[in-house]
Each structure stands twice: as structure tokens, then as C-alpha cells.
């Protein structure tokens, strides 16, 4: 898997949205455990319109994708 490290300031209302396939379920379980109680949502794979909707409301973007956004 790709190592992911993110820090969301506790004083903000921002949420980290993680979108994409989860080929390594053990790693995703580890990430979900680390995110427990934090503003993190794991969406898995989403159709393009749903991803665009997330983009429309974002204040920042981190892309670890090999695909064009």
C-alpha cells in the first residue's frame, strides 16, 4: 500500500475524504482504526459524479493517484 499520513487540525470543521480502491484490507483496517474519532471518511471507489461533488466542496486536495483527475 501507499503510506498515508495526514493531520487535520482539531479546531477545524474540515473532513478528510479518502476515495479509491482498497486492495489491501488489512492496511485499510489499520487506517480506519487510526482514524477512529477523527474527521475522516473512507468512501472506497466512487462514480465520477460523486467524486466531482466532493471536489466541488473541498478546500484542498491530496492526490496519490496515477489516474487523471
Amino acid at each position: 500500500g501507499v503510506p498515508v499520513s495526514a493531520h487535520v487540525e482539531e479546531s477545524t470543521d474540515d473532513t478528510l475524504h479518502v476515495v479509491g480502491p482498497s486492495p489491501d484490507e488489512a492496511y485499510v483496517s489499520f487506517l480506519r482504526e487510526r482514524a477512529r474519532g477523527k474527521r475522516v471518511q473512507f468512501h472506497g471507489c466512487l462514480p465520477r459524479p460523486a467524486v466531482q461533488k466532493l471536489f466541488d466542496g473541498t478546500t484542498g486536495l491530496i492526490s496519490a493517484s496515477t489516474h487523471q483527475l
Side-chain angles (χ1 to χ4, degrees):
V2 176
V4 176
S5 177
H7 176 74
V8 178
E9 293 293 329
E10 300 215 12
S11 62
T12 183
D13 290 332
D14 290 341
T15 298
L16 174 64
H17 295 272
V18 181
V19 178
S22 305
D24 183 346
E25 193 54 45
Y27 185 61
V28 173
S29 294
F30 168 76
L31 292 177
R32 286 181 191 278
E33 182 61 33
R34 294 287 311 263
R36 187 183 312 254
K38 298 181 173 87
R39 294 179 165 272
V40 179
Q41 291 184 14
F42 294 88
H43 298 276
C45 291
L46 293 175
R48 195 159 196 62
V51 174
Q52 186 60 52
K53 187 174 181 180
L54 285 174
F55 284 167
D56 290 345
T58 191
T59 56
L61 172 69
I62 300 170
S63 174
S65 177
T66 58
H67 297 20
Q68 183 178 0
L69 299 176

